[in-house]
Amino acid sequence: MINTTEKDSNYQDLDKMTVNEILSNINKEDQTVPLAVEKVIPQIEALVDVVVERMQSGGRLFYIGAGTSGRLGILDASECPPTYGVPFDWVIGLIAGGDSAIRKAVEFAEDDIQQAWLDLEEYAINDRDFVLGIAASGTTPYVIGGLEKANENGIATGCLVCNSNSPVAKKAKYPIEVIVGPEFVTGSTRMKAGTGQKLVLNMISTAVMIKLGRVKGNKMVDMQLSNHKLVGRGVRMVMTETGVDEETASALIEKFGNVRKAIENYNQNNH
């Protein structure tokens, strides 16, 4: 049986369409993706609960994937430290073919069933960690092998796939199956499948970080103040939370280098 992600596009003769038709039809397809994600919120919730529990006991979250899926995992992982001020080894993204595959496809890297586990072992993976395999097709050997070995070693596993009843989902204890349907360009899973994966990864990491206490109210109080825009945002947060003026908030940020510490210190000394 042919996988949904490989099914023929709902559109014919793309090469005869005007630019407006191409863009409008892509947009029409894209609008179906959040609805596909909505259907699997219970699956995402079950996975997030386990990840939070693991990370609260000192574990880490690993993403493993190939191609677009691998890149999306690395993107999500790399945005956690600046956004939430967490260490770089809390969420780790691994891609088949290694870091050079982020920019340039590495031939047949995804077909190596042993490599993901070797990549994970470099991080001294253990049973407090969680491994999330990302594979639009749900058939990537790199991901299947990684999940299989993680299971054998008593490590909690999940997956994010875009076909139902896939080999990857059968290996994962906490599968998430976002069925987005055929792509606008047949088989081009960087499109709807990639969009669905990005949405779900955003949901997972954001929910986990909130539950780990890295957000106060609705603010990123632990974000890294690594440029002028973010320093300005930090100053506004301190002003909102404490009621001080901009000059005082700036001084607090400069002194403590962190929004949460600035707010806590001000509140301790003024109450």
Side-chain angles (χ1 to χ4, degrees):
M1 197 186 85
I2 192 162
N3 283 333
T4 312
T5 52
E6 294 294 326
K7 280 191 175 158
D8 220 35
S9 171
N10 296 321
Y11 302 82
Q12 302 301 320
D13 301 319
L14 310 190
D15 46 345
K16 295 190 174 78
M17 288 181 183
T18 65
V19 170
N20 184 270
E21 287 168 335
I22 292 169
L23 301 178
S24 298
N25 288 327
I26 290 173
N27 180 247
K28 200 183 297 177
E29 286 297 303
D30 285 345
Q31 287 177 42
T32 67
V33 177
L35 302 175
V37 171
E38 184 182 22
K39 288 177 184 164
V40 297
I41 286 177
Q43 293 178 9
I44 303 170
E45 181 185 5
L47 184 144
V48 166
D49 283 340
V50 178
V51 173
V52 170
E53 182 196 314
R54 286 289 191 278
M55 292 185 77
Q56 281 172 336
S57 63
R60 300 159 294 174
L61 170 59
F62 286 89
Y63 295 139
I64 58 171
T68 299
S69 298
R71 292 181 192 104
L72 287 167
I74 286 169
L75 174 67
D76 195 72
S78 66
E79 288 176 347
C80 289
T83 310
Y84 299 107
V86 299
F88 283 91
D89 61 354
W90 274 28
V91 184
I92 297 163
L94 301 174
I95 186 169
D99 281 3
S100 62
I102 298 169
R103 292 179 181 276
K104 193 176 174 208
V106 175
E107 295 291 322
F108 300 107
E110 69 172 62
D111 297 327
D112 188 335
I113 203 155
Q114 263 92 45
Q115 191 58 48
W117 182 248
L118 297 175
D119 293 345
L120 288 163
E121 282 191 312
E122 284 188 27
Y123 290 85
I125 187 152
N126 61 72
D127 59 11
R128 287 181 305 180
D129 298 325
F130 190 102
V131 178
L132 174 57
I134 313 168
S137 66
T139 60
T140 311
Y142 177 84
V143 175
I144 293 169
L147 294 179
E148 203 161 32
K149 290 294 283 184
N151 288 333
E152 283 171 25
N153 286 273
I155 296 158
T157 55
C159 75
L160 174 49
V161 297
C162 298
N163 286 313
S164 47
N165 304 313
S166 68
V168 166
K170 288 188 175 79
K171 297 290 180 199
K173 296 277 165 61
Y174 298 92
I176 298 169
E177 299 172 304
V178 183
I179 313 304
V180 296
E183 296 287 2
F184 178 70
V185 175
T186 300
S188 180
T189 51
R190 74 187 191 91
M191 299 184 78
K192 286 195 302 182
T195 301
Q197 290 173 322
K198 174 77 169 90
L199 292 175
V200 173
L201 289 168
N202 277 353
M203 292 165 83
I204 292 169
S205 56
T206 304
V208 166
M209 291 298 157
I210 291 170
K211 286 295 170 190
L212 291 176
R214 309 307 290 196
V215 170
K216 185 172 163 55
N218 59 12
K219 304 289 195 298
M220 300 180 279
V221 290
D222 290 313
M223 67 179 183
Q224 291 176 358
L225 303 174
S226 54
N227 60 43
H228 292 309
K229 177 191 79 176
L230 297 179
V231 170
R233 185 189 295 163
V235 168
R236 288 193 298 278
M237 283 190 213
V238 173
M239 289 167 70
T240 304
E241 287 291 320
T242 62
V244 299
D245 61 21
E246 189 173 352
E247 195 179 341
T248 308
S250 296
L252 284 164
I253 285 286
E254 196 164 328
K255 183 175 179 185
F256 296 101
N258 172 279
V259 176
R260 183 192 295 272
K261 286 179 188 160
I263 294 167
E264 285 175 355
N265 195 274
Y266 178 83
N267 288 341
Q268 275 167 12
N269 292 329
N270 292 274
H271 288 296

